[in-house]
Amino acid sequence: MTDSSTSAAEPFSDLSPDLVLDALESQGLKTDGRQLALNSYENRVYQVGIEDGQPVVAKFYRPQRWDNQQIGEEHAFVLSLAEAEIPAVPPITINGKTLFEYRGYRFAVFARRGGRSPELDQPEVLEWMGRFIGRIHALGAQQPYVHRPTLDIESFGRMPSEYLLEHGFIPVDLEQPYRTVIQLALQGVAECFERAGRVEHIRLHGDCHMGNVLWTDAGPHFVDFDDSRMGPAIQDLWMMLSGSQEDMRRQLQALLDGYEDFYDFNPAEVYLIEALRTLRLIHYAGWLAMRWTDPAFPRVFSWFNTQQYWQDRILELREQVALMQEPPIPIQRGGNF
């Protein structure tokens, strides 16, 4: 998938502006030389000007993260959403393909879409968001991913925490407190999943935070399905909840008012909200550590891996341990809760 010049430590070291333009030209896209780097660290993403046309967005995939089959599954899912008139931004198909390779780099091309962040303090916006997420999940539930992974305790909890410990990221004086809180946190996550019982896993957006939703007067459209995987439906809903438990109850209720027009929500999944939040916190720290040899990461995330950072993470996880023991958000669905 990559050539020998693209090292794991500097995966994009040869990705020059000229190479970006040449890659698009290799697929018959006549560029006008304009180029703007967009906010992305896992991959490299650029807005590129096109002669006599609208600019496009070119996404160059991080080497060795996803294989071609996994990227192909993501592309097929987003294309099927777009075909169903669900506002997701699919890759552009050129000569029957959506994934291309140029000088060792794999890339895809997308139409540029503008928009602003949704105003989640408005119930009607949450309901609108819920309708579209419900439509995404209704289609996502029609068939599973075969090659893409599942969001689970092993990959989002145990593996990243073990990586941090094994590679010396935790300060010596904080290592034992970190080990203790991680053990308690993962135990709490497992207990939340046990309380939820049997939960269906479907194809998800996977990383449905507000940076991946663009809002216009016509409503939302969803971008960047790079983290799409199998998992419980609540994963695409809980990141829109914030504030007190009562605030989150109102927000979730508004989301579900639209969501359940298209897909049934299993109320037991509310047991997973704080568990999934905990896994995201653990996974995020591990993700930063695993990317630390990429020069872009120390430049941008200079606050990572300091004494204060790890003290804050330990405190944060202790708070999550307590939250996972609290009753879940009460909602009115099917006589439950």
Side-chain angles (χ1 to χ4, degrees):
M1 292 184 289
T2 60
D3 63 24
S4 58
S5 67
T6 306
S7 70
E10 299 188 40
F12 298 104
S13 59
D14 296 332
L15 189 58
S16 65
D18 285 342
L19 192 152
V20 170
L21 298 178
D22 290 344
L24 268 66
E25 295 270 357
S26 75
Q27 297 304 316
L29 296 170
K30 301 300 182 183
T31 65
D32 63 12
R34 293 177 297 162
Q35 187 177 146
L36 175 67
L38 301 180
N39 186 26
S40 178
Y41 304 107
E42 183 66 359
N43 305 295
R44 296 295 186 268
V45 182
Y46 305 90
Q47 179 179 296
V48 179
I50 300 296
E51 288 186 4
D52 302 321
Q54 293 296 314
V56 297
V57 173
K59 174 180 177 179
F60 288 79
Y61 289 89
R62 177 174 290 272
Q64 302 174 359
R65 181 177 183 231
W66 299 122
D67 64 33
N68 288 356
Q69 290 177 310
Q70 290 168 327
I71 295 173
E73 281 194 319
E74 173 214 332
H75 286 187
F77 180 35
V78 183
L79 283 165
S80 67
L81 293 173
E83 289 169 1
E85 300 183 345
I86 298 169
V89 182
I92 295 172
T93 301
I94 302 174
N95 296 324
K97 297 172 59 179
T98 58
L99 181 63
F100 315 104
E101 185 170 350
Y102 185 78
R103 289 179 55 183
Y105 290 101
R106 294 170 301 158
F107 68 99
V109 184
F110 301 80
R112 184 189 64 171
R113 297 288 178 85
R116 59 188 183 274
S117 295
E119 298 177 0
L120 296 183
D121 57 339
Q122 300 182 20
E124 61 273 19
V125 170
L126 286 168
E127 185 174 346
W128 203 342
M129 290 284 293
R131 284 198 296 272
F132 280 116
I133 296 174
R135 292 181 65 194
I136 290 172
H137 287 181
L139 195 150
Q142 290 180 9
Q143 64 184 66
Y145 278 138
V146 176
H147 302 289
R148 286 217 153 210
T150 296
L151 196 169
D152 56 22
I153 299 173
E154 182 66 24
S155 60
F156 267 61
R158 292 193 183 93
M159 288 177 60
S161 59
E162 288 172 2
Y163 183 92
L164 290 165
L165 289 163
E166 291 170 1
H167 290 80
F169 280 90
I170 312 299
V172 173
D173 60 317
L174 296 178
E175 183 174 327
Q176 190 54 50
Y178 181 80
R179 288 183 183 274
T180 299
V181 76
I182 280 292
Q183 182 179 1
L184 291 171
L186 294 180
Q187 179 181 335
V189 170
E191 290 171 354
C192 286
F193 273 84
E194 288 175 7
R195 287 196 291 272
R198 188 175 183 274
V199 171
E200 182 183 11
H201 284 181
I202 60 174
R203 290 178 295 174
L204 304 168
H205 181 286
D207 194 25
C208 202
H209 61 75
M210 291 307 93
N212 286 332
V213 181
L214 299 176
W215 190 272
T216 68
D217 292 341
H221 53 270
F222 297 81
V223 300
D224 195 5
F225 280 70
D226 195 64
D227 286 302
S228 182
R229 63 189 66 223
M230 300 291 291
I234 193 68
Q235 170 65 13
D236 281 348
L237 298 170
W238 74 261
M239 276 184 268
M240 299 180 202
L241 311 180
S242 62
S244 67
Q245 188 176 66
E246 176 57 23
D247 291 334
M248 291 192 289
R249 186 198 65 78
R250 288 196 301 266
Q251 293 157 6
L252 181 57
Q253 195 70 57
L255 283 167
L256 293 179
D257 285 345
Y259 183 91
E260 292 202 315
D261 287 344
F262 297 95
Y263 193 69
D264 289 336
F265 178 73
N266 175 3
E269 290 193 27
V270 295
Y271 283 111
L272 303 182
I273 292 174
E274 295 304 331
L276 291 169
R277 194 191 311 275
T278 301
L279 289 178
R280 184 175 177 83
L281 293 171
I282 298 170
H283 181 265
Y284 184 69
W287 173 70
L288 289 173
M290 292 175 195
R291 299 290 183 258
W292 204 236
T293 54
D294 180 337
F297 277 70
R299 287 197 302 267
V300 176
F301 303 101
S302 58
W303 39 261
F304 173 69
N305 207 31
T306 63
Q307 186 83 7
Q308 186 63 52
Y309 174 84
W310 292 115
Q311 289 174 343
D312 291 345
R313 297 294 75 72
I314 290 169
L315 177 60
E316 189 174 51
L317 288 172
R318 285 173 177 162
E319 292 172 349
Q320 284 303 120
V321 170
L323 286 171
M324 286 188 287
Q325 296 172 351
E326 295 291 325
I329 296 173
I331 58 173
Q332 296 299 318
R333 283 297 180 273
N336 295 295
F337 306 109

